[in-house]
Amino acid sequence: MTVLHCAAHSAELLALAARLPRVPRTDLYGFLDAAHAAAAELPEPLATTLDAFNAHGNDNGYLLLRGLPVEEDDALPPTPDSTPAPVDRPLLNQEAMLAIVGRRLGLHTGYRELRSASVYHDVYPSPGAHHLSSETSTTLLEFHTEMAYHVRQPNYVMLACSRADHERKAATLVGSIRKALPLIPDDVRAHLFDRPVPCCVDVAFRGGARDPGAIADVKPLYGDPRDPFLGYDRELLVPRDPADVEAVAVLSKALDEVREGVRLVPGDVLIVDNFRTTHARTPFAPRWDGRDRWLHRVYIRTDRNGQLSGGERAGDVVDFVPRH
């Protein structure tokens, strides 16, 4: 299953959301603990679908929950134009959904160098944003596996939509290695498997250096050769060996051929399997009128892929450790 329609469960979901603290950022640990208790009581179709996706994933590499509770547009605050969110901002319905659904999957995680170490991120267009930033709008945000260069890479990227872009043109593109693998010749698969490729890192993780170069190594394919994980970033991977350059190009083409576009609308929560996909976002035109596209983003780690060592809590903030 790729899309689960949830509108029939709105009343139950709103009742669960009502149990959560109304101002989540004053005690995020307590807020996410309350969300964990609520997650145990999710409606059965939603709980079963989430558990299956968490255990096995799917071929498309994402799960879209559609029709979740969201405020009417006039009841929402203006789309943010700065980050992080004010500590005293009251809970929004889509933030509540990210809390409850996310705790069914694993642990919400913040990254010390990213977004002032906040766990919840507002994603909105910003004038003059760096081309690698989620705040860019008028240019394509290229395919990337989120933080593929980070030892504590999130297992899931979750995006919740409170506002779509005005023209509803922005699409989140997802390329799944499970769909792309049959398009990659066996010799290319073998070459890329467990092969470290030099990788640069996003601006936030550069330690203030303008361009520290490729300070990490990322394996494009690793894990089970029959069902591998993916580490891919079109902007940041910098293969140097000619055979690596050619193999990464073949992988890149295969991912393009299988990509799917998801246009998020208010009430959507998109869960991206960050170990088996790469994702991107198509351009859109902001109007800077307080009603531009507004997503909420959280990163989830689970006990798979070595992302947890024991003792972690939902809401923890971790330091950058580059992959090598």
Side-chain angles (χ1 to χ4, degrees), residues 11-133:
E12 295 168 86
L13 293 170
L14 283 170
L16 291 176
R19 300 185 192 178
L20 306 182
R22 292 296 89 194
V23 185
R25 292 167 181 82
T26 58
D27 177 11
L28 192 63
Y29 280 126
F31 171 74
L32 292 173
D33 285 346
H36 189 219
E41 299 182 40
L42 279 168
E44 191 277 333
L46 181 52
T48 299
T49 300
L50 289 169
D51 292 348
F53 184 71
N54 204 11
H56 308 293
N58 62 29
D59 286 350
N60 292 321
Y62 70 88
L63 177 63
L64 177 63
L65 309 180
R66 177 148 280 173
L68 295 168
V70 62
E71 293 83 356
E72 294 294 331
D73 192 75
D74 289 346
L76 286 168
T79 296
D81 59 8
S82 64
T83 192
V87 172
D88 61 354
R89 190 173 82 193
L91 180 65
L92 301 173
N93 284 337
Q94 285 292 81
E95 292 177 324
M97 295 302 103
L98 284 183
I100 297 169
V101 171
R103 287 299 282 119
R104 187 81 188 195
L105 297 170
L107 303 182
H108 297 64
T109 300
Y111 292 82
R112 196 166 309 282
E113 300 81 5
L114 185 64
R115 298 292 188 98
S116 302
S118 56
V119 172
Y120 269 85
H121 302 163
D122 291 314
V123 180
Y124 52 85
S126 180
H130 192 281
H131 72 283
L132 296 178
S133 168

Side-chain angles (χ1 to χ4, degrees), residues 292-312:
D292 279 321
R293 189 176 192 251
W294 184 8
L295 306 183
H296 314 275
R297 179 178 65 194
V298 295
Y299 298 126
I300 304 294
R301 289 188 299 153
T302 77
D303 59 2
R304 289 174 294 111
N305 309 104
Q307 299 316 101
L308 300 177
S309 56
E312 293 91 344

Side-chain angles (χ1 to χ4, degrees), residues 223-304:
D224 181 349
R226 298 164 299 177
D227 186 19
F229 299 123
L230 174 71
Y232 177 80
D233 193 305
R234 188 159 291 171
E235 295 278 359
L236 298 178
L237 273 181
V238 284
R240 293 168 182 150
D241 181 271
D244 291 349
V245 172
E246 183 177 349
V248 169
V250 172
L251 170 64
S252 181
K253 183 175 183 293
L255 291 167
D256 275 337
E257 290 182 13
V258 301
R259 70 184 186 185
E260 285 192 47
V262 180
R263 287 185 168 83
L264 297 175
V265 299
D268 282 355
V269 166
L270 177 65
I271 307 167
V272 179
D273 182 343
N274 195 46
F275 273 79
R276 285 196 171 91
T277 67
T278 185
H279 65 279
R281 194 223 59 244
T282 62
F284 64 97
R287 298 182 186 175
W288 318 118
D289 59 356
R291 296 291 183 267
D292 279 321
R293 189 176 192 251
W294 184 8
L295 306 183
H296 314 275
R297 179 178 65 194
V298 295
Y299 298 126
I300 304 294
R301 289 188 299 153
T302 77
D303 59 2
R304 289 174 294 111

